Amino acid sequence: MFHSDIDRAKIAQEWDFNGVDYMNHGSFGACPRAVKEFQSKQRDALQRNPMDYFSDDTVRNMAENRLFWASFIGADPEGVVHMECTTQAVNTVMKSLALRGYFKSGDEILLTSHGYNACNNVAREIAELTGATVIVAKIPFPIAEAGQVTGAILAAVTNKTRLALIDHITSETALIFPIHDIVAGLKKHGVETLVDGAHAPAHVPITLEKLGAAFYTGNGHKWLCAAPGCAFLYVREDFRDRIRPLSTSHGANDTNPHISAFQKNFAWTGTRDTTAWSTPKVAFETLSGFHRDGLPGLISDNKRLLRYGYKLLLDALGQKPHAPDDMLGTMATLILPPGEPLPLRNDLRQRDNFVTQLWWASPSIGVGRILRISAQAYNTPEQYQRLTAALFAGLKREKGSVKSALKTWVKKRLIKKV
Ligand SMILES: Cc1ncc(COP(=O)(O)O)c(C=O)c1O
């Protein structure tokens, strides 16, 4: 049985899921009420006086929350800038490097078979433009130990490898990669790393000064529960002169000697709703307030809940864990019996009210239909019990419908023959 340190049913009231059982925080993490209200107030202030909001409040909020990010991820604040999402940050780094001649024809960009499709597509586009080649390190799934990831990545390095794009936590397979070993191993071969940490903030500790990666990006709008459009990019000092925003800013020719060129470049890239960038700090404070040991306590409780739900589902499917315990955080992926994912997902949604991430694994992972589960503060053990029963029943119905489709098909053939 699972005993939570926190009153999950009560905490769930801080979210407005409109009656659905939301089991997919990993894809899109909704905000608790305090964060939503904070952002609404910011939006009201913006509409009351856009001039004051953009020239004073935004500047102050961005500075304050940039400092928050820097201390949260253990990084030099000078190297941290706000982003709208991880995809944007990966584009920013790759396109800046390409524009400044970092990739030459014949160079290699190293990805993994578990990489996020949109980010891998950026690497493919850059390779096409520059004549570089994309190399994909094949990571197994299910996986026995984290060392297999480091081993596969390092085995794919050649003397032409220029940059590796590596996930801290993978999307489809929900695995925590041993990012410190990977970055250090690549460094020994002279290869720089762009870490896609989309899922990492408020999920695993991030200590960038220690990690030493050239680039790291993460989302505030996933596990930290900040507003959608909240992310960061960190760039190590020796690369700051080469990384520019996708949209060139006023700051590009700012002569203020007290602000670094890197910060000026990212300071004002055009008018937009900047309110999401003011939410990471309040999101952190809100999540921290849910557990007596603050955010680390909440994450550890979520991890225990995840393991409880994962075991229920694995047992129901008659399967063994697909990954060692140290590679799992607050998400896990199960390989489902062969079949179409969408009808089963819709079935779970329509009959049982569950919002799940149930879809095809990418061909590079090659395990067919998968279900990824997530455990956030609002999820309960009882939800996992119901989800397990609903999935089991859904799979059974599916078998039944396969059987009856087969019967109809056989009948039709027999009738034809007659
Ligand atoms: C590993 C990984 N990278 C990047 C992204 C993209 O995040 P965003 O949509 O915020 O750009 C995701 C989204 O789920 C992801 O899982």
Side-chain angles (χ1 to χ4, degrees):
M1 202 42 216
F2 171 79
H3 294 287
S4 184
D5 298 343
I6 57 177
D7 185 345
R8 290 180 168 271
K10 187 165 169 238
I11 288 173
Q13 291 167 14
E14 298 300 312
W15 273 264
D16 289 319
F17 285 125
N18 201 20
V20 296
D21 286 295
Y22 198 78
M23 312 302 281
N24 185 21
H25 193 94
S27 287
F28 304 107
C31 303
R33 187 162 302 127
V35 177
K36 277 197 316 189
E37 285 173 3
F38 180 85
Q39 189 184 26
S40 290
K41 280 190 190 145
Q42 296 288 319
R43 287 208 169 115
D44 290 346
L46 189 165
Q47 294 301 343
R48 266 198 308 272
N49 186 339
M51 187 63 197
D52 277 1
Y53 189 81
F54 285 124
S55 35
D56 299 334
D57 303 36
T58 293
V59 174
R60 198 175 47 250
N61 285 337
M62 279 174 68
E64 192 184 320
N65 280 279
R66 185 166 63 80
L67 291 181
F68 162 78
W69 271 129
S71 91
F72 190 65
I73 60 177
D76 166 15
E78 277 302 310
V80 179
V81 287
H82 293 283
M83 286 279 128
E84 283 162 6
C85 60
T86 294
T87 309
Q88 186 186 51
V90 170
N91 272 278
T92 301
V93 171
M94 289 275 195
K95 290 178 179 167
S96 288
L97 290 176
L99 268 174
R100 286 164 188 82
Y102 188 76
F103 303 108
K104 303 251 172 348
S105 179
D107 282 351
E108 289 172 0
I109 305 173
L110 181 56
L111 312 176
T112 81
S113 54
H114 292 218
Y116 187 73
N117 186 51
C119 298
N120 283 354
N121 281 342
V122 184
R124 291 187 191 108
E125 185 186 343
I126 295 306
E128 224 175 80
L129 280 171
T130 60
T133 309
V134 161
I135 303 292
V136 181
K138 175 86 184 145
I139 314 280
F141 188 71
I143 186 163
E145 50 134 0
Q148 288 176 277
V149 179
T150 318
I153 291 171
L154 296 185
V157 170
T158 72
N159 58 7
K160 294 181 190 144
T161 315
R162 263 320 245 156
L163 183 79
L165 168 61
I166 308 290
D167 293 4
H168 194 163
I169 303 177
T170 61
S171 172
E172 293 179 28
T173 47
L175 299 174
I176 301 173
F177 276 3
I179 202 67
H180 284 265
D181 292 348
I182 296 168
V183 171
L186 286 167
K187 205 137 204 212
K188 274 193 193 146
H189 289 85
V191 178
E192 299 293 355
T193 311
L194 162 53
V195 183
D196 172 351
H199 283 280
H203 191 163
V204 288
I206 307 175
T207 47
L208 294 192
E209 289 294 337
K210 213 165 122 203
L211 182 66
F215 315 100
Y216 191 108
T217 170
N219 279 332
H221 54 227
K222 282 194 189 286
W223 291 92
L224 187 61
C225 298
C230 173
F232 72 86
L233 168 66
Y234 163 79
V235 177
R236 208 178 57 207
E237 192 172 5
D238 50 320
F239 274 98
R240 286 180 204 155
D241 58 341
R242 278 170 280 183
I243 304 301
R244 303 283 167 89
L246 291 172
S247 119
T248 303
S249 78
H250 277 299
N253 62 349
D254 184 343
T255 52
N256 184 341
H258 304 296
I259 307 174
S260 69
F262 181 68
Q263 287 299 329
K264 282 191 289 204
N265 280 327
F266 283 87
W268 188 253
T269 52
T271 309
R272 68 196 66 198
D273 184 346
T274 51
T275 58
W277 291 344
S278 65
T279 60
K281 191 162 165 269
V282 68
F284 168 79
E285 285 159 4
T286 306
L287 291 192
S288 301
F290 291 150
H291 194 283
R292 63 175 179 269
D293 296 329
L295 184 60
L298 176 64
I299 295 170
S300 125
D301 208 66
N302 286 340
K303 280 176 155 180
R304 287 197 303 112
L305 176 61
L306 185 278
R307 279 150 182 76
Y308 172 78
Y310 188 43
K311 182 160 179 356
L312 282 183
L313 286 156
L314 285 172
D315 288 350
L317 294 169
Q319 294 180 5
K320 294 212 156 34
H322 304 343
D325 194 66
D326 64 348
M327 294 187 81
L328 294 180
T330 54
M331 296 192 294
T333 295
L334 294 113
I335 303 169
L336 297 181
E340 283 291 327
L342 263 188
L344 184 58
R345 181 162 91 186
N346 291 341
D347 195 26
L348 286 174
R349 175 72 182 85
Q350 277 146 23
R351 271 180 183 254
D352 307 296
N353 224 18
F354 282 111
V355 176
T356 56
Q357 183 54 308
L358 196 163
W359 77 127
W360 291 116
S362 296
S364 59
I365 300 168
V367 291
R369 188 169 60 162
I370 53 177
L371 167 69
R372 189 186 65 198
I373 53 169
S374 296
Q376 184 49 288
Y378 51 78
N379 291 121
T380 64
E382 179 268 334
Q383 276 182 319
Y384 274 104
Q385 291 158 12
R386 281 192 291 112
L387 176 65
T388 306
L391 180 72
F392 195 71
L395 289 169
K396 242 172 121 181
R397 273 194 301 277
E398 202 178 60
K399 254 194 195 161
S401 69
V402 170
K403 253 192 209 157
S404 73
L406 204 67
K407 262 190 202 160
T408 324
W409 182 78
V410 171
K411 239 192 214 164
K412 273 188 190 160
R413 304 240 328 163
L414 286 177
I415 292 165
K416 253 193 199 166
K417 272 189 185 165
V418 172

